[in-house]
Amino acid sequence: MITRCIIRKNAYYDSVFLMRVAKRISGQKGILEAAALMGTEKNKELLSDIGMAGPEISSVRPNDLIIAIRAEDEEPLSAVFENIDHWLNESQGQAGTIPCRTLEEALTHLPHSNLAVISVPGQYASREARKALEHGLNVFLFSDNVSVEDELSLKGFAREKGLIVMGPDCGTAIINGIGVGFSNAVRRGPIGVIGSSGTGIQEFTTLVHHFGSGISHAIGTGSRDLSDAIGGITFLSSIEVLDSDRETRVIALLSKPPGPLALQNLIHRIIQCRKPIVTCFLGPKQDPDDANLRYRKARTLDDAASLAVQIATNNPSPRLEDRSFKFQELINRERIHKSPEQKYIRGIFAGGTFCYQAQQILQDAGIMVHSNLPLEGNSKLRSPLLSVEHTLIDMGSDEFTSGRPHPMIDAGLRYERILAEAKDPQVSILLLDFILGLNASPDPAGELLPAIAEARGQTRKQGGSLSVIASVCGTENDPQNIQRQVKALEEAGVVVFSSSAKAARFCGFLVTGCPEESSVR
Amino acid sequence: MSDKLKDLLQNGPIAINIGIFDFAETLKIQGVEVIHLNWSPPAGGDPELIELLDQLL
C-alpha cells in the first residue's frame, strides 16, 4: 500500500466540487482512499488524523489544493495522475458565466442584483457578507462557523440598511418561487414561512404542497436567530416583509424554542401583524396555550403545515394522500422474526430538524433516547460514534461534516453508520430520512439501499429481523422524483411514511405497542 | 424595508454567487440571472494580511 499527494498551488475549488473529485478518484480500480481538500490548517489536521501527513502537506496554504491518495500500488496511482488535470478542469463548468473575481466587478455586469448567495469557508464569510450589504445586497449566508458577534453585527447592519441576512448556516430559501440552496419544487401559494433550519423549511413546504396548497416565500434565518444574543432580527424583518406581501395570507414560524428575550420581541411583533400566524417551536412539552394567545401553536411540522393550510384555504382538515396502511398488520409484520434481545431504535438522520423532532415525538411517547444533539431531558452520547440503547444521531452535525460532505449531498457516512448499527444484536429498528430537492444527492435512496440490504442480512445472521422505517421529504417535481424514491425503498422492504413525524411516531408504536390507527394517520 | 428587499420579494432573486458553484447552477436552471464569482481566499488566506488589507481599503 502506498500514499501520495498531489499539490496544486493557488488553485481554489469549492468543497462540493472537491467531494466529487475525491469520489471519482476513490472509484478508480486499486484506489483505497482519497481526499481532496484546500490547504487550511483544519484540513491539514484532518489529513494527519487519517495518516496522511508530511512536509509537502504541512507547507501548503489555504489557497492550495491537496489531493491525498492511498492506493494498492503504483499502477492505479499513475492512472489518477494522468487524469487529474482533466478532472479538475472539467470543474466548475464556467460556460455561460461572465468571469469575475470581485463583487465590484460582478456588480458592473449585474447592477440590478438584489441577493448575494455566500457559501465560502466560515472564516471568510462575514467579510464577504459585509461587503455585499455595503453594496446594498440582501444576503443568503450558507456558510457556518460564523461567530455570534459577527452574526449580530451583520444583521444589525442589514436592519439599518433595510436589507435582510438569511443565515449564517442557512440552508434553504424559496423567494418568489425560486429555490435558493437546498430547496424543493413546491407549488406557489398563500403560505409564507420563516424558519431557523433548512430541513425544517423543506419538510414544511413539501407538506404544504402535498396538502394541496402552496408557498409564497420561505425565508431561512439561520439556527441562532431566535437566541437572545441575536434577538430574532431576521425573524422580525421577515414578518414585516411577509405582512406587507400581497401573496401571503398566513405566516408560519418554525424554530427551536426562542430565548425569553427573543420571544418577547417576537410576540410584540406578532401582535402588530395583520395576518394569522402559526408557530412550531420544536422542543420539550410546554404549558398549555394561553387562551389570549395571538398565534396558533403547532407541536410538529406536520401540524404546522396542516394548520397553515386550514387557515389559508378554509379547508377544515387537509390530509396527506398516504397510501392506506393496514396498521395492525404492518406492526405484526415488523414484529415477527425479532430475537428476544432486539429492542432498540437507531435513527440515522441527514436532517438535524428531523433528528430533533423525532426525539420530541419519542419523548412524548415516553421513550428517552441518547443523541449527539439531545433534546432537553434526553442524554448526550459520550461519543457520537457509538450508539447506546435508543439513539438518534444527526449525521449533519459538525463532528461528522468537518472536512467531509454533508449527508444530504453524499451518503458515505450514513452508509458506514447503518452497517455499524446492524452489528449490534440489540438493534430492532432503523429510522432514516431521505431529503430530495435542488443541490441534494441525485439519488438519496439508491445510495443507501445496498447498506440497508447488508444491514438486514447481518441482522438475519444474528437471528433477528431489522425493521427499516423511513420518510422522504420531497415532491413529484424534484429532480429525484419522490415517487421513484419511495418505490425503490418500498421494493427493498422499507416502510415509508409521508412525513418524518409519522415515521418517528410509528417507531414509537413498534416499541411501546399498538396505536389507535387514527393517531398515526 | 429597502427597495432591494422589496425587489427581491416581488421580482425574485438576481444573484451574485460566492462559493459553491452548484448554487449558481441551480439558480440558473430556474431562469435566474446569476454571476458566479471566481472567488479564492483573500491574501492567500493569511488572516494578518487580510486584516491589513481591510484597514488599507
Side-chain angles (χ1 to χ4, degrees):
Chain A
M1 185 178 72
I2 50 173
T3 302
R4 289 285 158 76
C5 272
I6 301 169
I7 309 285
R8 292 282 184 273
K9 290 279 181 192
N10 292 314
Y12 183 83
Y13 297 90
D14 75 62
S15 55
V16 175
F17 172 71
L18 290 180
M19 183 256 321
R20 282 201 289 266
V21 170
K23 218 170 170 178
R24 194 164 186 177
I25 298 170
S26 304
Q28 305 299 307
K29 201 176 164 204
I31 300 294
L32 303 171
E33 196 174 8
L37 300 165
M38 298 310 300
T40 61
E41 290 307 314
K42 200 171 181 183
N43 286 343
K44 285 192 266 184
E45 277 171 32
L46 282 169
L47 287 172
S48 172
D49 290 348
I50 56 169
M52 291 176 170
E56 52 186 343
I57 289 183
S58 59
S59 65
V60 303
R61 290 153 47 102
N63 268 351
D64 304 332
L65 169 67
I66 311 168
I67 298 176
I69 309 164
R70 194 168 279 144
E72 285 170 358
D73 50 45
E74 286 286 351
E75 201 183 324
L77 270 178
S78 309
V80 171
F81 279 36
E82 269 172 36
N83 286 304
I84 192 68
D85 283 322
H86 172 62
W87 293 339
L88 288 172
N89 288 333
E90 264 181 13
S91 77
Q92 321 229 19
Q94 300 282 354
T97 62
I98 304 162
C100 293
R101 289 197 68 84
T102 65
L103 181 61
E104 291 76 8
E105 205 183 329
L107 283 167
T108 61
H109 294 287
L110 213 54
H112 48 302
S113 309
N114 53 27
L115 181 69
V117 178
I118 300 174
S119 53
V120 300
Q123 64 265 44
Y124 312 109
S126 301
R127 189 176 186 273
E128 300 301 334
R130 182 163 284 275
K131 272 201 291 184
L133 291 168
E134 282 167 355
H135 283 92
L137 298 179
N138 299 288
V139 171
F140 176 95
L141 187 52
F142 177 78
S143 313
D144 56 5
N145 293 315
V146 172
S147 70
V148 177
E149 293 75 23
D150 280 358
E151 178 175 350
L152 184 60
S153 163
L154 289 170
K155 287 182 168 174
F157 184 45
R159 184 173 51 191
E160 279 170 28
K161 298 195 63 135
L163 298 167
I164 198 168
V165 174
M166 295 176 261
D169 198 17
C170 180
T172 303
I174 303 172
I175 309 291
N176 207 31
I178 300 293
V180 186
F182 293 83
S183 55
N184 300 91
V186 297
R187 194 180 299 107
R188 299 287 305 274
I191 297 169
V193 54
I194 306 163
S196 62
S197 100
T199 42
I201 292 179
Q202 286 190 266
E203 181 81 334
F204 179 89
T205 54
T206 53
L207 288 171
V208 165
H209 176 93
H210 294 311
F211 281 134
S213 187
I215 298 296
S216 57
H217 305 285
I219 302 174
T221 66
S223 54
R224 291 186 302 226
D225 194 69
L226 280 179
S227 66
D228 283 343
I230 307 298
I233 295 174
T234 300
F235 262 90
L236 300 179
S237 306
S238 306
I239 293 173
E240 185 187 337
V241 161
L242 295 182
D243 198 16
S244 57
D245 176 58
R246 278 195 213 153
E247 303 294 317
T248 304
R249 291 211 295 271
V250 179
I251 302 170
L253 312 178
L254 317 174
S255 173
K256 287 181 183 175
L261 294 175
L263 184 61
Q264 269 183 22
N265 296 343
L266 197 62
I267 288 174
H268 182 70
R269 186 65 193 78
I270 287 171
I271 289 168
Q272 296 166 20
C273 187
R274 292 161 295 180
K275 295 178 181 173
I277 289 194
V278 173
T279 67
C280 176
F281 298 137
L282 293 173
K285 250 187 180 155
Q286 291 155 1
D287 297 334
D289 282 356
D290 178 344
N292 296 320
L293 214 56
R294 294 290 300 268
Y295 53 95
R296 303 280 299 275
K297 279 181 172 178
R299 186 93 180 106
T300 63
L301 296 167
D302 297 35
D303 293 344
S306 169
L307 200 50
V309 172
Q310 281 176 43
I311 298 168
T313 63
N314 289 322
N315 176 353
S317 56
R319 281 171 68 97
L320 295 177
E321 288 183 10
D322 261 330
R323 65 187 172 76
S324 64
F325 283 116
K326 290 189 173 166
F327 232 76
Q328 189 59 56
E329 274 179 38
L330 192 58
I331 287 174
N332 293 344
R333 189 190 84 186
E334 290 301 320
R335 281 184 154 181
I336 54 170
H337 305 309
K338 296 278 184 200
S339 72
E341 56 187 334
Q342 280 190 283
K343 51 190 168 186
Y344 293 127
I345 304 168
R346 298 286 158 85
I348 314 296
F349 292 93
T353 298
F354 295 146
C355 181
Y356 201 75
Q357 180 178 248
Q359 288 187 61
Q360 175 192 296
I361 287 165
L362 292 173
Q363 199 177 77
D364 287 354
I367 300 167
M368 308 312 274
V369 310
H370 302 261
S371 177
N372 54 338
L373 292 173
L375 181 71
E376 194 183 316
N378 283 342
S379 309
K380 188 166 175 73
L381 281 171
R382 283 194 184 163
S383 162
L385 302 176
L386 289 176
S387 299
V388 184
E389 298 171 341
H390 297 299
T391 289
L392 304 188
I393 294 276
D394 172 10
M395 297 292 291
S397 73
D398 292 347
E399 64 257 52
F400 294 107
T401 54
S402 190
R404 298 203 56 171
H406 193 280
M408 279 170 64
I409 301 174
D410 179 72
L413 282 171
R414 286 217 293 172
Y415 195 107
E416 291 161 23
R417 186 66 179 237
I418 288 168
L419 297 184
E421 299 298 349
K423 287 182 183 148
D424 180 347
Q426 292 191 307
V427 172
S428 175
I429 302 161
L430 202 55
L431 172 59
L432 302 172
D433 57 345
F434 294 89
I435 305 170
L436 317 185
L438 293 174
N439 295 303
S441 156
D443 185 11
E447 282 189 326
L448 283 187
L449 283 174
I452 291 169
E454 198 177 328
R456 299 186 102 151
Q458 172 75 29
T459 311
R460 271 195 300 275
K461 269 191 226 157
Q462 290 158 187
S465 161
L466 183 66
S467 300
V468 185
I469 313 301
S471 62
V472 182
C473 171
T475 75
E476 67 283 4
N477 299 322
D478 282 327
Q480 303 89 345
N481 189 299
I482 192 168
Q483 280 95 352
R484 277 204 303 272
Q485 293 285 308
V486 170
K487 186 165 179 272
L489 289 166
E490 288 183 339
E491 281 174 359
V494 178
V495 181
V496 185
F497 286 89
S498 57
S499 78
S500 180
K502 286 183 179 177
R505 206 167 283 135
F506 184 72
C507 289
F509 293 139
L510 280 179
V511 171
T512 59
C514 180
E516 288 297 317
E517 193 157 325
S518 59
S519 63
V520 181
R521 309 277 299 149
Chain B
M1 199 190 315
S2 69
D3 289 345
K4 286 275 183 179
L5 184 49
K6 276 185 209 154
D7 181 52
L8 175 68
L9 273 283
Q10 283 170 11
N11 301 316
I14 300 166
I16 312 281
N17 185 60
I18 311 169
I20 296 170
F21 179 73
D22 288 12
F23 286 178
E25 279 287 275
T26 48
L27 285 169
K28 209 189 297 171
I29 287 165
Q30 297 174 86
V32 173
E33 275 188 274
V34 56
I35 287 184
H36 174 68
L37 276 199
N38 188 9
W39 184 90
S40 60
D46 182 328
E48 285 174 16
L49 270 180
I50 294 172
E51 206 179 320
L52 199 64
L53 195 65
D54 286 344
Q55 283 169 8
L56 287 171
L57 294 175

